[in-house]
Amino acid sequence: MKFDGIERLTRTTTPPIRYAVVALAALAMLASACSSVEFERVRDDFATRDANSLFRLHVVTSPAPAGDARLGAMWSAMARRYVNHHRDFIAKKASVMTALDASACGDGIEGVLHLYPHLMRTSSGARVRVVGRLIRCDDGAIVWEARAADAWSADDDNVTAVRSQYAGEFGAHVEPFVAPSFHALRALLDTLPRPKLVKDADIDEKIDLGQ
């Protein structure tokens, strides 16, 4: 079992964008969110190779933004919940790793959703740049990758409850980053491809995790 794709990421300080392709149809459908998406790419063989087999994910933020493990944990938890509620994958685990490696797989995990965020405080909130990759566990191949970047206000009335939830869970110091992180993740994760959950057991598992 090889993990060349995962190990290569640990040596990449600036994520490569040579495969950058913007999906114009998705931009038209999700104009507000996708205005923040700078590129996205899905492997051509996703429909035949992965759509019926790559469901169970481990969400990993690596490295933690600014070395803040609790902020990184917030990112992983927020992404896991978003995927379970709004996408068709089954996000089973969420964690933070200093360096992403093959240990992110195992225990029934079929893919790693790797998040590589950079956050910078602004006078009104934060500027966020994040690269996301979906990595297949059995061979380390990058199935999907995308990048989103923008600046958002910390005081967003639309996510007041979300701000309180994550500040209570991960500490008051993360609160200025909650709304910007949520908007960046929503824009990024809405470009994920859609697997085909058809087995009752898989559907039930997803429903249980989404509750």
Side-chain angles (χ1 to χ4, degrees), residues 144-207:
W144 160 91
E145 59 183 334
R147 183 175 67 203
D150 212 332
W152 288 274
S153 172
D155 298 320
D156 187 336
D157 292 340
N158 293 319
V159 292
T160 299
V162 175
R163 286 168 50 201
S164 298
Q165 174 188 355
Y166 285 99
E169 191 171 349
F170 296 101
H173 77 288
V174 308
E175 187 168 2
F177 298 106
V178 172
S181 298
F182 177 81
H183 290 304
L185 279 169
R186 180 174 62 179
L188 183 82
L189 298 176
D190 279 351
T191 71
L192 277 166
R194 290 192 177 276
K196 298 176 182 177
L197 286 176
V198 295
K199 295 182 180 178
D200 289 343
D202 294 335
I203 295 170
D204 290 343
E205 183 179 359
K206 179 168 180 60
I207 291 172

